Amino acid sequence: MIVLQVVESIDRNLKNINFPVTEADIASTKKQFFKMAGIPNCLGAVDGTLIPIISPSGADEPVYICRKGFHALNVQAVADEKMR
């Protein structure tokens, strides 16, 4: 799958992406989110943006036209309570 390859590539190349994996890290993140925003059992907040790209050629070109009318990739990310 192309998406999996992209995610794995990003994970390999960006060393600042860290997901809480231990029970202690998960509990700490949930506690800090609740302290900051009053949201219980939250591990992250999702946000998104459109990244403009050069118009691709080929039959798939229309797929890359975003709702705002230009060629873009729709990117989503999850941030922790420290907005990382």
Side-chain angles (χ1 to χ4, degrees):
M1 289 173 75
I2 282 285
V3 173
L4 182 58
Q5 292 171 336
V6 171
V7 170
E8 288 174 345
S9 176
I10 291 169
D11 187 45
R12 273 193 311 274
N13 292 296
L14 294 177
K15 303 301 178 197
N16 62 343
I17 298 175
N18 299 300
F19 295 100
V21 291
T22 67
E23 290 296 323
D25 288 342
I26 291 170
S28 175
T29 300
K30 287 181 178 182
K31 181 179 177 181
Q32 292 303 317
F33 247 114
F34 186 78
K35 187 176 176 182
M36 176 192 72
I39 303 171
N41 297 314
C42 182
L43 281 175
V46 177
D47 196 5
T49 189
L50 294 168
I51 307 293
I53 61 171
I54 296 171
S55 173
S57 60
D60 290 339
E61 179 269 335
V63 176
Y64 293 95
I65 298 175
C66 70
R67 63 183 170 80
K68 294 187 176 185
F70 58 89
H71 292 88
L73 294 176
N74 189 357
V75 179
Q76 291 185 324
V78 177
D80 67 6
E81 79 287 357
K82 295 177 185 149
M83 299 187 192
R84 297 179 292 170

